[in-house]
Amino acid sequence: GFVSFETAEAAEDCVNEMNGNEAMGRKLYVGRAQKKAERQAELKDRFERLKQERINRYQGVNLYVKNLDDNIDDELLRKEFSTYGNITSAKVMRDEANVSKGFGFVCFSAPEEATKAVTEMNGRIIVAKPLYVALAQRKEDRKAHLAAQYMQKNVRHSSPTRTNEHVPTWTR
């Protein structure tokens, strides 16, 4: 519900006093009434901030590992990389039927550990397949990087265009 106050100060005092309290076994949310667009903008800003914090936290420490054998699970992945440093998480990605998708992620506590693991583990054969190991990138960043590489490759391999070509004109 909504409550109207005579002054902004009284409303602010109520928010500070009541927000987070419990009433009838439920936690109360008490805040200033907002228009839908204002509330959505605030939530979007909060989401973007959290997303950026997460990106910064894992920058340079999260590795992408592909070409994993189907028999590799989280524990074996962790074990294979553990000699390079403190692993905060190791995860083999799986489909709905719990079958390995052939790739996963290993997250180290320090960028130096991750860099050493990339250098040592990329190309190493685990079970029967050579691993591809690289620093993990966000999907948007990877797509942008690949698009830039593709454009650069096309520019180098395209034939030069003629700009001073004589175009005949016909008159009657």
Side-chain angles (χ1 to χ4, degrees):
F2 291 89
V3 177
S4 294
F5 289 87
E6 299 224 358
T7 66
E9 293 81 21
E12 192 174 327
D13 289 344
C14 179
V15 168
N16 294 334
E17 174 99 14
M18 299 295 294
N19 190 35
N21 287 351
E22 279 197 31
M24 293 185 254
R26 297 185 69 178
K27 187 175 181 178
L28 295 176
Y29 168 78
V30 180
R32 186 179 63 78
Q34 297 174 304
K35 292 183 178 167
K36 186 176 181 179
E38 185 182 357
R39 190 171 56 254
Q40 286 177 327
E42 191 176 292
L43 289 172
K44 184 180 178 194
D45 287 346
R46 186 180 314 153
F47 174 78
E48 287 299 322
R49 239 186 348 269
L50 290 173
K51 183 174 153 186
Q52 195 59 47
E53 285 174 16
R54 196 171 55 246
I55 290 166
N56 293 340
R57 187 175 334 133
Y58 296 115
Q59 191 68 38
V61 295
N62 197 21
L63 302 183
Y64 170 69
V65 183
K66 74 175 182 179
N67 206 28
L68 292 173
D69 187 89
D70 291 342
N71 297 319
I72 294 178
D73 62 5
D74 295 352
E75 277 307 307
L76 183 55
L77 185 63
R78 179 183 289 272
K79 181 177 170 260
E80 291 294 335
F81 280 83
S82 64
T83 58
Y84 303 104
N86 183 35
I87 296 174
T88 59
S89 67
K91 181 80 175 152
V92 175
M93 303 311 290
R94 300 188 173 281
D95 65 13
E96 302 82 33
N98 203 31
V99 176
S100 171
K101 290 184 173 184
F103 73 94
F105 298 91
V106 178
C107 191
F108 285 89
S109 59
E112 304 77 37
E113 298 168 343
T115 302
K116 184 158 179 58
V118 169
T119 305
E120 299 286 328
M121 292 295 288
N122 190 37
R124 181 170 291 176
I125 295 174
I126 304 295
V127 183
K129 295 170 127 184
L131 296 183
Y132 170 85
V133 182
L135 286 173
Q137 295 176 300
R138 288 178 43 240
K139 191 180 282 187
E140 302 87 30
D141 295 342
R142 189 173 66 253
K143 282 183 178 179
H145 181 72
L146 290 173
Q149 280 182 324
Y150 179 77
M151 293 300 288
Q152 199 171 38
K153 182 177 159 187
N154 279 352
V155 167
R156 271 186 291 180
H157 296 298
S158 66
S159 60
T161 56
R162 295 182 184 173
T163 55
N164 294 334
E165 236 177 67
H166 174 70
V167 179
T169 54
W170 302 95
T171 57
R172 284 192 182 237

